[in-house]
Amino acid sequence: QVQLQESGPGLVKPSQTLSLTCTVSGGSISSGSYYWSWIRQPAGKGLEWIGRIYTSGSTNYNPSLKSRVTISVDTSKNQFSLKLSSVTAADTAVYYCARGPDLGYWGQGTLVTVSS
Amino acid sequence: QSALTQEASVSGTVGQKVTLSCTGNSNNIGSYAVGWYQQISHGAPKTVMFGNSLPSGIPDRFSGSKSGTTASLTISGLQPEDEADYYCSTWDYSLSARVFGGGTKLTVL
């Protein structure tokens, strides 16, 4: 059974860079034709797709976040990561990682608060 | 404003059949499979339908369909545990991005 687990700081200061890692267990991140996504949800709001990465390294990003987002993959650690730069309070949200194309597996989510 | 349009809220009684809709355009729903995601009490979302495929462990009272640029999720025989927020999502090739609907809050009366 594939499992995903997000990890990273729960508090980030404004203007700094948010960094999260998603660790995949129960299967190799490199096996199959999957891509790996980041999705976020501000409190009381809907889901927002941030971006995705294939294990080849190819990426796609949400146009509204593209200038600030970098997603990378480390197949040796079975992990993929998210970096979001120049954060503001509007980036406060629960951040999820998930496996595509069907988003059939999700992490439990991690709350990141942007505050000084 | 979401690229996909969903009802804000839908309600039904136990045992009733309810249908949730998701409207997009030819760039997204009209071209790609649609996923439906159930989120109970702000927990992690769970896939209840992708295209016409029912994921393992999801009751067969859930079914999905698509006509043109509108996708639908039907729950036949509504159960109390189906009360949740439901989101639709698919790829949009004009945006080169995955898009979500704003979500439908399903209440079981």
Side-chain angles (χ1 to χ4, degrees):
Chain A
Q1 176 78 345
V2 174
Q3 293 184 317
L4 289 76
Q5 178 70 59
E6 306 88 350
S7 60
L11 180 64
V12 181
K13 289 181 167 46
S15 81
Q16 293 191 341
T17 296
L18 177 160
S19 296
L20 295 174
T21 296
C22 182
T23 300
V24 179
S25 59
S28 171
I29 198 170
S30 300
S31 66
S33 299
Y34 300 114
Y35 56 81
W36 306 89
S37 289
W38 286 99
I39 294 152
R40 70 180 183 179
Q41 185 174 35
K45 296 187 178 181
L47 300 170
E48 179 181 32
W49 183 78
I50 299 171
R52 71 180 186 184
I53 188 166
Y54 288 88
T55 48
S56 64
S58 173
T59 55
N60 296 99
Y61 298 131
N62 185 323
S64 68
L65 299 170
K66 189 173 184 177
S67 63
R68 300 193 291 129
V69 173
T70 302
I71 297 176
S72 58
V73 64
D74 187 336
T75 55
S76 67
K77 294 182 179 179
N78 235 34
Q79 295 176 334
F80 63 107
S81 299
L82 168 70
K83 290 189 186 300
L84 181 65
S85 64
S86 304
V87 297
T88 69
D91 296 309
T92 294
V94 175
Y95 286 74
Y96 295 99
C97 56
R99 189 185 82 172
D102 58 351
L103 303 184
Y105 293 95
W106 293 68
Q108 65 185 29
T110 187
L111 174 62
V112 178
T113 301
V114 178
S115 175
S116 55
Chain B
Q1 188 167 349
S2 304
L4 306 179
T5 301
Q6 298 182 250
E7 302 95 341
S9 63
V10 170
S11 63
T13 57
V14 173
Q16 188 178 7
K17 181 171 79 172
V18 296
T19 298
L20 282 58
S21 69
C22 176
T23 301
N25 58 41
S26 59
N27 295 327
N28 42 62
I29 290 179
S31 299
Y32 297 95
V34 177
W36 289 90
Y37 307 94
Q38 177 192 65
Q39 187 177 39
I40 297 175
S41 299
H42 305 292
K46 178 172 71 173
T47 306
V48 294
M49 185 65 57
F50 186 73
N52 294 323
S53 298
L54 195 65
S56 174
I58 302 302
D60 60 7
R61 63 178 181 271
F62 287 86
S63 62
S65 64
K66 185 171 73 171
S67 177
T69 57
T70 297
S72 300
L73 177 71
T74 297
I75 308 173
S76 303
L78 196 61
Q79 297 299 307
E81 60 265 32
D82 298 333
E83 184 163 291
D85 294 324
Y86 290 84
Y87 294 90
C88 60
S89 179
T90 189
W91 187 255
D92 188 302
Y93 75 75
S94 67
L95 297 173
S96 291
R98 173 174 280 271
V99 291
F100 281 94
T104 295
K105 182 176 182 61
L106 175 62
T107 301
V108 180
L109 302 172

